[in-house]
């Protein structure tokens, strides 16, 4: 199953494609998160944006 790429930015590292986007996390008191997901969904990470 492919990942939804609408509204996401793509970058390539080596031969792998990744997509990143920023969104407000409704389940975490509205904190802003940076999410990075590989095209094959084997890599998935999120970081809280502090500022």
């Amino acid at each position: 199953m492919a990942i939804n790429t609408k509204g996401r930015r793509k970058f390539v590292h080596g031969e792998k494609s990744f997509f990143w986007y920023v969104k407000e996390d409704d389940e975490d008191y509205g904190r802003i998160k940076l999410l990075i997901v590989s095209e094959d969904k084997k890599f998935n990470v999120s970081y809280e944006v502090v500022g």
Side-chain angles (χ1 to χ4, degrees), residues 18-51:
F18 297 87
F19 295 92
W20 68 272
Y21 57 102
V22 177
K23 76 172 205 168
E24 186 175 332
D25 191 350
D26 297 330
E27 296 177 4
D28 199 11
Y29 303 105
R31 293 188 172 125
I32 305 298
K33 301 281 183 163
L34 166 67
L35 296 104
I36 304 171
V37 182
S38 65
E39 193 168 34
D40 61 4
K41 294 185 180 178
K42 290 184 179 180
F43 179 84
N44 184 358
V45 66
S46 68
Y47 296 99
E48 183 176 339
V49 177
V50 180

